[in-house]
Amino acid sequence: RIINRQIPAAAAVKRTVCLQSMIFVAGGRISKPFIKVEDSSRHYRPIHLTMPNMPEFNLRTVAPFSPFCGDEKDPPGNKQRGQRYRKNRDKKRGGYCECCMIKYDNLTTHLQSERHKAFSRSDKYSVVDRLVSTLPCNFIHIKTNVKRPKCSIS
Amino acid sequence: IIKSDRSHRKSKLSRDVEMDIEFLYKAVPQLAKVFRIVDKIGEGTFSSVYLGEAQMRDGRREMFALKHLIPTSHPTRIAAELQCLTVAGGRENVVGVTYCFRKEDHVVIVMPYMEHQAIVDIIGSLSFEEVRLYIYHLLKALKHIHQFGIIHRDIKPNNFLYNRNSKMFALVDFGLAQGTADTQIELLKVVKQRSSQKGGGSTGKQEAAHRSKAPSKLPHKTTTTASTPLSPPPGQSVALPPSSSSSSTTTSFSVSRKVLVKKARSVATTITTAASSRTKHTKDLAALRKVPRPVFGERNLNSCTPAPSTTKQAAIKTELVMPSRPEDPAGRRYSSATRFPPPVKIQSSSQKPQRTVQQGLTCNCYMTDRVCNICMSRKQQVAPRAGTPGFRAPEVLTKCPNQGTAIDMWSAGVILLSLLSGRYPFFKASDDLIALTQIMTIRGSRETIQAAKSFGKAVVCSRELPRQDLRTLCETLRGRRPSPDDEVTPVPEAATRHYKIQDDTPTHRPVEGTFKQHDDGAGETLSSKLANHQKQSQAANRLTEQNSVTDGKVEEDERGWDSVPDEAYDLLDKLLDLNPHTRITAAEALQHPLFKEL
Ligand SMILES: Nc1ncnc2c1ncn2[C@@H]1O[C@H](COP(=O)(O)OP(=O)(O)O)[C@@H](O)[C@H]1O
Ligand SMILES: [Mg+2]
Ligand SMILES: [Mg+2]
Ligand SMILES: [Zn+2]
Ligand SMILES: [Zn+2]
């Protein structure tokens, strides 16, 4: 993909080259086919994209798959049906922690970090607890069979 | 994502699922006292959903969906999701909340379980009547939540559960919800301002404040206060972009974190580029700048520079809520790519001035096919973007800072388009601008450009793309009309060739200032070709349909698709209105003739 904007990290070098050639070598002209969007205040950086092909719907694609399947790399229909959720993604996946405001490579490791554990024991969750305290609880203990609700939340 | 049939429950659970269930019991021990967790029924990026059975006080056993949120979710986000459910849920096709358990960072939202079918599994067998009913009930849910000032932001079939047998519907997943300016959901109002530190030397300190808004008429009273101050950990700056300089007082609850990451890269790229080809021009511009250096941490990047109108040294009044999360990437759900790309090393401070070039400078690239140093050195505009690419409205895709409930109506339109054409997903793009272009291929580039003006965006596309007739399009995609490319009926050779090579055919070179209105002619091709082809194939079509009518079984197979009323396409047209200001509202849509006797 010849994309000058929002490109996967792996393509960093290429992207730079691409952007350079686009802006400076090509005299600022955006290669076609492209789309460009700019805020009419003209206070913000335009966003633009040169596409390998102009997207088009393909009437011959097979239902029920997207008529735009050709626009992206994925071949149509090889992964849509019958697939359940992906298993154990969480544990392996990296991500961003909203609580700690940092990125992590491994969820399990991050959740065990001192910083995160400190947050998880902080009073930041009182906003959740206050809401929960307004909810009635109509469950009973299944194991002990005690006939009283037991819904303490922490 | 979900398993609709019960068969898997009887079959032995996979080892993975067993382990996940064990883990959940350990993480939230209260669950074990109340639930027998029998299966895992969904796993997304931000949650795993389990099926649990509980004994109620009145002696009944009931099934529940247990949504275990990813423990990295911010408490305010969790509370907001919960509050949407407690305030608006439990009626009008919006899922209710039964209870919520928490232990430390593990939160489990308990909802009544609704058995349902995944749209992708049933789309091929839906009757038109079912589609009509499905959309009607979706609109009902939307009308309801919109009345509370909730923008759902992630309307798509995975979040609107449908039980085919019981004809039950449930809107779920308020994890990305955002409030309108006058929302009644207190936690969606949570807004904080932060004041800028002047001129560098940031400590990352921020002040949390909240809009004092009179408590509004909440159907349920809660003791929750209007806001939760979010202060960052010591020494940690807040990596949030401000909402745009436009005056919206609503939150930027779901400004995408991914946007930020991408922004980071994009900036780095630009800087690299600029640095390696530094011109006198940019130096001059840099010298001219009066804007203080960005004061927040690296990850704030250029977005923290005040907008030109508020530039002075005055405090930056930014309304922010919390670290936000990226859109739900349904399109990428199966991809192996990581959700959050690895950190990008931002360029060192020596290069920073490049991105703080005076913001307000205009150049003559506006509405042309060019970009220059000046416009590319401006800060990026930030706008809420959470959601799923193929369902995002044009105003979302173009980073319009003011977004309202109309964005959900667009998504509903995409669902209707999907169901009428029998294609799911309909749009398929991982990039916002590709998604926008795909929309233009259906709704027309001129129309898109025209509508974008109404929300303050100048769109330029290198090719004119004609607006499609929605009935023709849907019927063709459904296979009810032969595709113009099929050799069933003769199609003018030239037209075929043109259509096929459209991508590579150079179009008219845009002429600065005028070319965007310029009709390059290529546009007419596809629609006229379709129309042309339609005429030619109509006779054959009619023959086929007559044949099928004579055969009772085949007629049954039509499932109403042989007689879709014009009203369906009229409503579709009004939902897919490119202009959010004129787009039909949920309340209006429920009054549409398509639903007259419902
Ligand atoms: N009340 C419910 N009953 C049955 N299934 C549910 C319920 N709530 C959620 N699910 C299933 O779990 C999936 C994920 O739930 P959702 O709330 O959308 O989480 P996420 O934010 O991770 O997308 C849904 O698409 C649906 O299949
Ligand atoms: Mg969901
Ligand atoms: Mg969600
Ligand atoms: Zn954390
Ligand atoms: Zn320019």
Side-chain angles (χ1 to χ4, degrees):
Chain A
R1 304 158 45 147
I2 319 154
I3 295 178
N4 57 49
R5 179 186 75 86
Q6 302 188 349
I7 307 164
V13 175
K14 223 172 165 185
R15 173 185 57 219
T16 305
V17 171
C18 175
L19 190 68
Q20 262 177 334
S21 61
M22 182 150 327
I23 298 178
F24 299 97
V25 179
R29 212 168 280 281
I30 309 168
S31 324
K32 286 194 253 184
F34 73 87
I35 176 166
K36 174 185 161 185
V37 177
E38 184 169 350
D39 193 80
S40 44
S41 68
R42 302 173 70 172
H43 288 153
Y44 301 98
R45 183 187 310 173
I47 51 176
H48 60 96
L49 176 72
T50 294
M51 297 162 278
N53 293 300
M54 198 65 164
E56 66 178 36
F57 54 85
N58 179 353
L59 296 169
R60 303 176 96 176
T61 48
V62 184
F65 305 111
S66 171
F68 290 97
C69 278
D71 287 354
E72 301 271 326
K73 271 190 205 131
D74 330 86
N78 66 343
K79 57 183 176 182
Q80 312 256 346
R81 256 178 200 279
Q83 182 161 349
R84 251 175 117 188
Y85 50 81
R86 187 174 285 240
K87 291 181 177 124
N88 281 345
R89 260 170 102 221
D90 276 5
K91 284 114 209 163
K92 282 160 199 159
R93 193 187 53 208
Y96 179 83
C97 181
E98 294 179 322
C99 306
C100 306
M101 291 183 286
I102 51 170
K103 295 202 199 77
Y104 56 83
D105 296 326
N106 179 300
L107 179 62
T108 310
T109 314
H110 174 72
L111 296 181
Q112 286 160 1
S113 69
E114 280 314 311
R115 178 166 172 172
H116 188 84
K117 274 158 67 184
F119 186 96
S120 75
R121 294 188 202 110
S122 73
D123 60 2
K124 294 282 186 353
Y125 288 87
S126 60
V127 63
V128 177
D129 297 344
R130 279 198 302 271
L131 264 183
V132 175
S133 67
T134 66
L135 294 172
C137 180
N138 294 311
F139 298 118
I140 60 169
H141 283 191
I142 48 174
K143 300 247 164 83
T144 57
N145 225 5
V146 176
K147 295 278 182 208
R148 67 183 162 80
K150 181 65 195 293
C151 292
S152 66
I153 51 166
S154 69
Chain B
I1 296 294
I2 193 160
K3 204 61 180 171
S4 49
D5 57 310
R6 287 167 182 268
S7 59
H8 66 277
R9 251 188 272 157
K10 294 187 181 120
S11 67
K12 202 166 179 306
L13 294 181
S14 81
R15 187 83 198 107
D16 282 345
V17 170
E18 276 175 14
M19 278 166 59
D20 287 351
I21 292 173
E22 277 316 305
F23 174 81
L24 181 59
Y25 278 134
K26 273 201 198 103
V28 189
Q30 309 97 290
L31 292 176
K33 297 179 180 164
V34 173
F35 294 103
R36 193 170 62 88
I37 301 175
V38 294
D39 199 0
K40 186 170 184 177
I41 54 177
E43 177 166 331
T45 312
F46 304 120
S47 77
S48 298
V49 181
Y50 296 84
L51 179 64
E53 188 185 53
Q55 178 104 47
M56 307 309 286
R57 270 205 259 183
D58 62 10
R60 284 172 304 127
R61 290 189 161 268
E62 278 180 35
M63 304 303 290
F64 293 91
L66 312 180
K67 180 173 180 175
H68 179 209
L69 303 173
I70 187 167
T72 55
S73 303
H74 196 280
T76 305
R77 177 189 299 286
I78 298 167
E81 175 168 3
L82 201 52
Q83 196 169 45
C84 287
L85 296 171
T86 60
V87 173
R91 57 214 153 110
E92 301 292 306
N93 301 321
V94 179
V95 77
V97 57
T98 308
Y99 203 67
C100 178
F101 293 91
R102 174 176 88 84
K103 186 189 173 202
E104 297 178 346
D105 51 350
H106 292 276
V107 176
V108 174
I109 298 176
V110 181
M111 299 166 277
Y113 173 69
M114 196 183 110
E115 195 173 345
H116 59 281
Q117 289 79 40
I119 283 296
V120 67
D121 290 337
I122 60 170
I123 191 165
S125 62
L126 288 174
S127 68
F128 171 69
E129 188 52 27
E130 275 180 287
V131 167
R132 192 173 73 113
L133 209 62
Y134 181 95
I135 294 297
Y136 178 79
H137 284 280
L138 172 61
L139 292 169
K140 231 169 118 172
L142 289 178
K143 177 187 173 192
H144 181 66
I145 64 164
H146 290 171
Q147 277 170 349
F148 287 93
I150 300 171
I151 308 171
H152 185 283
R153 289 209 76 94
D154 201 15
I155 295 299
K156 58 180 177 181
N158 284 349
N159 288 334
F160 189 60
L161 315 184
Y162 170 43
N163 184 315
R164 222 175 167 175
N165 306 315
S166 64
K167 296 283 178 256
M168 300 239 288
F169 301 86
L171 181 61
V172 301
D173 197 358
F174 290 82
L176 298 173
Q178 194 180 6
T180 60
D182 57 351
T183 184
Q184 294 172 40
I185 310 298
E186 292 297 326
L187 287 162
L188 292 183
K189 287 177 190 169
V190 174
V191 156
K192 73 185 173 196
Q193 298 178 326
R194 60 184 184 198
S195 55
S196 80
Q197 320 283 304
K198 288 168 194 149
S202 170
T203 62
K205 190 174 146 202
Q206 70 166 18
E207 289 162 26
H210 59 83
R211 288 167 57 208
S212 48
K213 182 111 183 181
S216 55
K217 357 99 202 212
L218 280 179
H220 290 223
K221 57 253 150 230
T222 69
T223 54
T224 313
T225 56
S227 116
T228 309
L230 303 174
S231 29
Q236 179 72 20
S237 65
V238 176
L240 284 177
S243 59
S244 86
S245 62
S246 75
S247 61
S248 164
T249 50
T250 47
T251 71
S252 50
F253 200 83
S254 6
V255 169
S256 164
R257 187 191 312 134
K258 179 157 0 158
V259 168
L260 257 189
V261 173
K262 286 179 171 177
K263 207 173 293 300
R265 302 174 159 178
S266 187
V267 168
T269 306
T270 307
I271 291 167
T272 306
T273 308
S276 55
S277 50
R278 196 162 292 180
T279 62
K280 180 157 195 314
H281 190 44
T282 51
K283 271 183 191 157
D284 290 346
L285 288 172
L288 273 175
R289 74 195 169 89
K290 297 191 172 76
V291 186
R293 269 183 68 220
V295 290
F296 299 108
E298 272 197 337
R299 282 179 290 115
N300 279 291
L301 305 167
N302 55 347
S303 8
C304 283
T305 324
S309 49
T310 58
T311 291
K312 296 298 167 171
Q313 304 268 318
I316 309 170
K317 291 237 168 112
T318 324
E319 293 143 9
L320 290 168
V321 177
M322 68 183 71
S324 52
R325 77 177 23 155
E327 71 279 9
D328 184 2
R332 291 170 220 192
R333 182 151 285 180
Y334 303 106
S335 105
S336 57
T338 55
R339 235 349 242 308
F340 304 107
V344 175
K345 180 75 190 140
I346 306 303
Q347 304 301 302
S348 73
S349 58
S350 64
Q351 291 167 318
K352 275 181 185 165
Q354 288 299 328
R355 66 172 190 247
T356 50
V357 164
Q358 181 65 291
Q359 306 289 343
L361 284 175
T362 53
C363 55
N364 39 27
C365 300
Y366 191 60
M367 304 227 279
T368 70
D369 64 339
R370 290 180 290 108
V371 288
C372 72
N373 289 348
I374 298 175
C375 53
M376 290 311 284
S377 64
R378 295 184 211 137
K379 69 176 174 179
Q380 289 189 316
Q381 187 163 27
V382 175
R385 182 165 169 272
T388 306
F391 294 89
R392 285 185 191 139
E395 66 270 27
V396 179
L397 296 171
T398 55
K399 293 184 188 290
C400 179
N402 303 309
Q403 300 174 14
T405 53
I407 70 168
D408 289 341
M409 301 311 295
W410 176 273
S411 307
V414 174
I415 296 178
L416 181 56
L417 175 62
S418 194
L419 298 180
L420 290 177
S421 63
R423 302 307 190 102
Y424 180 84
F426 192 90
F427 297 110
K428 195 169 189 304
S430 54
D431 182 279
D432 279 355
L433 289 188
I434 291 179
L436 183 65
T437 315
Q438 289 181 351
I439 289 171
M440 292 199 286
T441 67
I442 305 296
R443 303 301 280 156
S445 53
R446 287 179 190 225
E447 290 82 355
T448 305
I449 289 162
Q450 182 64 34
K453 275 186 201 155
S454 74
F455 51 86
K457 295 292 171 178
V459 175
V460 180
C461 181
S462 62
R463 182 195 309 273
E464 165 130 354
L465 301 162
R467 183 186 186 95
Q468 300 299 317
D469 175 70
L470 293 170
R471 179 188 284 274
T472 308
L473 176 74
C474 290
E475 292 183 351
T476 309
L477 287 171
R478 209 164 242 293
R480 301 201 57 82
R481 295 165 191 255
S483 142
D485 289 334
D486 288 344
E487 301 294 288
V488 180
T489 53
V491 173
E493 171 63 18
T496 308
R497 197 165 354 108
H498 194 147
Y499 172 50
K500 286 193 167 150
I501 58 176
Q502 204 174 28
D503 267 354
D504 317 302
T505 312
T507 49
H508 299 93
R509 173 150 286 157
V511 178
E512 184 178 330
T514 59
F515 78 110
K516 84 186 156 39
Q517 292 108 319
H518 188 261
D519 181 351
D520 69 5
E524 248 52 49
T525 319
L526 184 52
S527 60
S528 55
K529 184 169 174 250
L530 268 171
N532 210 346
H533 173 77
Q534 224 173 293
K535 270 180 222 134
Q536 293 172 25
S537 58
Q538 246 158 24
N541 246 346
R542 249 178 259 124
L543 263 176
T544 321
E545 280 173 27
Q546 274 164 17
N547 286 346
S548 46
V549 173
T550 55
D551 182 343
K553 279 177 189 160
V554 180
E555 190 186 14
E556 210 170 276
D557 283 348
E558 301 282 4
R559 288 167 285 121
W561 293 109
D562 52 337
S563 54
V564 177
D566 288 338
E567 284 78 20
Y569 296 106
D570 182 73
L571 177 62
L572 179 58
D573 183 58
K574 293 180 159 98
L575 289 167
L576 294 182
D577 185 339
L578 296 155
N579 182 345
H581 305 114
T582 52
R583 194 174 302 147
I584 197 167
T585 65
E588 289 162 0
L590 286 168
Q591 300 299 315
H592 192 276
L594 178 63
F595 306 120
K596 30 180 186 301
E597 27 41 273
L598 283 180

